[in-house]
Amino acid sequence: AVLYAGGLGTAKDDSEAVKWYKLAAEKGNEFALTNLGVYYFNGTVIPQDQPAAFQCFSKAAEKNHAEAQGWMAHCYELGLGVAKDPAQACAWCEKSARQGNVFGMNKLGQYYYAGFGTPKDYAQAQVWLRKAAAGNNSEAQFRLAFMAVQGEGVVKDYAEALRWFQKAAAQNDAGACNWIGVMYHNGWGVTLNHGEAFKWYTKAANL
């Protein structure tokens, strides 16, 4: 299934991949369950069916599959395939994050930042966002930069903010590109430069 899904050593064939993932999922393979869930979630090759996706993720998550646990958090957060439940989203997210899953670590940091399913806690947000940012997650990098520029839970630090915005911008994060423009426009942590600001505003607009 993995070979067909990725086109490794054979032509890419999602239909064939789904067939093999289903066979493995029936035997309880957590990797297959997670990937089959993604196919159901996105409606790739097979009709979109978010409740079926959630069931696949649930079975894999119970087997301690970190990626599936992250998907569980996503489903509970947005009410996709299951009733929206912030507390459940946070609980599953933490399970994923504690296994080192970058997606889970970022989401947990964002939950602490927003107070979603857990009391707002900037210190804990920083802990998990930094772990995710180290894994090159652009959303975490952007949030760390935003916290630094606003002085949320940390001392306001434009140099630190710019460093994180630049890392996120290198991954084509439009919000980060726009903020770099703002910093050049206002001379925050950099020499005021309207031409450079325009360049970053333009890049953000084109992403």
Side-chain angles (χ1 to χ4, degrees), residues 23 45 56 89 110 113 142 145 161 174 206-207:
L23 288 171
V45 180
C56 289
Q110 304 287 354
Y113 174 82
F142 176 87
N206 289 331
L207 287 173

Side-chain angles (χ1 to χ4, degrees), residues 27 54 67 76 128 184 193:
K27 298 180 183 298
F54 179 80
E67 184 183 346
Y76 274 119
W128 292 105
Y184 275 108
N193 186 327

Side-chain angles (χ1 to χ4, degrees), residues 19-183:
K19 182 183 80 174
W20 288 104
Y21 278 138
K22 282 183 175 179
L23 288 171
E26 287 171 3
K27 298 180 183 298
N29 180 277
E30 57 268 35
F31 179 82
L33 282 163
T34 302
N35 283 281
L36 181 60
V38 173
Y39 275 104
Y40 275 124
F41 189 89
N42 292 326
T44 306
V45 180
I46 51 180
Q48 188 176 52
D49 187 338
Q50 289 174 344
F54 179 80
Q55 289 304 313
C56 289
F57 296 144
S58 180
K59 290 175 182 177
E62 292 293 348
K63 291 175 176 286
N64 213 32
H65 192 277
E67 184 183 346
Q69 291 167 341
W71 275 103
M72 290 285 282
H74 186 65
C75 290
Y76 274 119
E77 175 188 343
L78 301 175
L80 301 173
V82 66
K84 185 175 180 178
D85 189 329
Q88 281 290 324
C90 193
W92 281 108
C93 193
E94 185 168 1
K95 289 177 185 289
S96 176
R98 290 194 180 282
Q99 292 197 70
N101 181 268
V102 173
F103 177 83
M105 291 190 291
N106 171 58
K107 271 199 173 294
L108 187 58
Q110 304 287 354
Y111 289 168
Y112 274 118
Y113 174 82
F116 183 85
T118 185
K120 183 176 287 193
D121 187 331
Y122 286 151
Q124 279 297 304
Q126 282 278 326
V127 168
W128 292 105
L129 289 171
R130 286 184 180 278
K131 290 177 184 290
N136 217 29
N137 183 281
S138 63
E139 288 184 9
Q141 291 165 345
F142 176 87
R143 182 61 64 196
L144 287 169
F146 188 79
M147 293 177 79
V149 85
Q150 297 291 336
E152 293 179 323
V154 293
V155 175
K156 186 178 288 190
D157 186 336
Y158 289 140
E160 177 78 350
L162 183 63
R163 184 172 74 87
W164 286 117
F165 279 139
Q166 288 173 333
K167 287 180 179 292
Q171 299 186 68
N172 293 324
D173 184 293
C177 291
N178 183 70
W179 263 100
I180 293 173
V182 169
M183 296 184 79

